[in-house]
């Protein structure tokens, strides 16, 4: 294990093994400060790859221990561009796994982009895609004036359940039908 404690020490598995820092920066690697460790932050210039196997789920946990009305935990994707423009991607989260031939496949993704970067009239876009028959398909797409389901015009049904009816609202994507209370509208 590796621990950064309040006295600017990087502690290893054995508490007698440590690196002592004399300034706010305890460990800095490379000419471009690839990793900067301080008593309050870890700054990484480059790519962070966290991998491993666990019996109970993910390899990364973000925990907020504050109380009261404070919000958290907070996961922020920031594209800090000096020249932002309409259409810029500002964050993508991909859910990947191997297919049965061993190829890494993106089975689902969530993305956001700038629709309008104009100060005081900013607008955003949000897209949710999943893999359908080997192709990435937009399932939900939000722009400032509309939220569209099945933006790619695929043969994908849309269904809303109520407490007692599995097909309270049913849009049949392949047959261009809408049903209320029925699963096979005519």
């Amino acid at each position: 294990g590796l621990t950064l404690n309040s006295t600017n020490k990087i502690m290893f598995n054995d508490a007698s093994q440590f690196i002592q820092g004399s300034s706010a920066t305890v460990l800095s690697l490379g000419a471009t400060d690839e990793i900067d460790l301080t008593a309050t932050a870890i700054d990484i210039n480059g790519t962070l790859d966290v991998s491993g196997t666990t019996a109970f789920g993910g390899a990364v946990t973000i925990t907020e221990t504050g109380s009261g009305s404070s919000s958290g935990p907070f996961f922020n994707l920031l594209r800090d561009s000096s020249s932002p423009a309409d259409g810029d991607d500002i964050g993508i989260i991909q859910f990947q796994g191997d297919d049965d031939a061993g190829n890494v496949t993106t089975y689902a993704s969530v993305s956001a982009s700038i629709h309008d970067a104009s100060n005081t009239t900013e607008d955003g876009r949000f897209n949710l895609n999943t893999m359908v028959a080997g192709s990435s398909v937009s399932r939900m797409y939000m722009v400032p004036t509309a939220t569209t389901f099945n933006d790619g015009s695929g043969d994908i049904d849309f269904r809303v359940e109520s407490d007692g009816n599995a097909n309270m609202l049913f849009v049949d994507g392949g047959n261009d039908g809408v049903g209320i209370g029925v699963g096979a509208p005519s």
Side-chain angles (χ1 to χ4, degrees):
L2 181 68
T3 305
L4 179 65
N5 70 15
S6 60
T7 60
N8 285 342
K9 291 181 184 174
I10 298 176
M11 308 296 291
F12 296 92
N13 284 334
D14 181 349
S16 66
Q17 299 173 343
F18 62 88
I19 300 171
Q20 177 87 36
S22 59
S23 66
T25 301
V26 177
L27 175 63
S28 184
L29 302 174
T32 58
D33 289 331
E34 292 169 274
I35 301 175
D36 236 355
L37 301 178
T38 70
T40 58
I42 299 173
D43 293 322
I44 298 172
N45 181 12
T47 301
L48 173 64
D49 184 0
V50 178
S51 60
T53 59
T54 64
F56 301 106
V60 175
T61 301
I62 300 173
T63 303
E64 167 64 42
T65 59
S67 60
S69 62
S70 63
S71 61
F74 195 75
F75 183 71
N76 185 31
L77 300 176
L78 171 64
R79 180 168 180 175
D80 195 11
S81 172
S82 62
S83 57
D86 298 354
D88 283 357
D89 287 330
I90 55 175
I92 300 171
I93 300 173
Q94 295 180 329
F95 302 88
Q96 298 180 321
D98 291 341
D99 63 15
D100 62 6
N103 301 306
V104 175
T105 301
T106 301
Y107 286 95
S109 65
V110 177
S111 63
S113 61
I114 298 172
H115 186 77
D116 180 0
S118 304
N119 186 37
T120 72
T121 62
E122 300 92 330
D123 293 315
R125 288 190 294 237
F126 182 82
N127 198 17
L128 174 69
N129 286 25
T130 64
M131 187 67 69
V132 176
S135 296
S136 181
V137 174
S138 174
R139 304 303 288 263
M140 182 174 64
Y141 183 56
M142 291 183 253
V143 294
T145 58
T147 298
T148 306
F149 294 89
N150 192 17
D151 191 53
S153 302
D155 185 359
I156 299 170
D157 298 336
F158 176 81
R159 185 171 56 87
V160 177
E161 291 189 22
S162 68
D163 187 36
N165 190 329
N167 298 297
M168 198 66 231
L169 175 64
F170 187 86
V171 177
D172 187 330
N175 295 313
D176 296 330
V178 176
I180 298 176
V182 297
S186 57

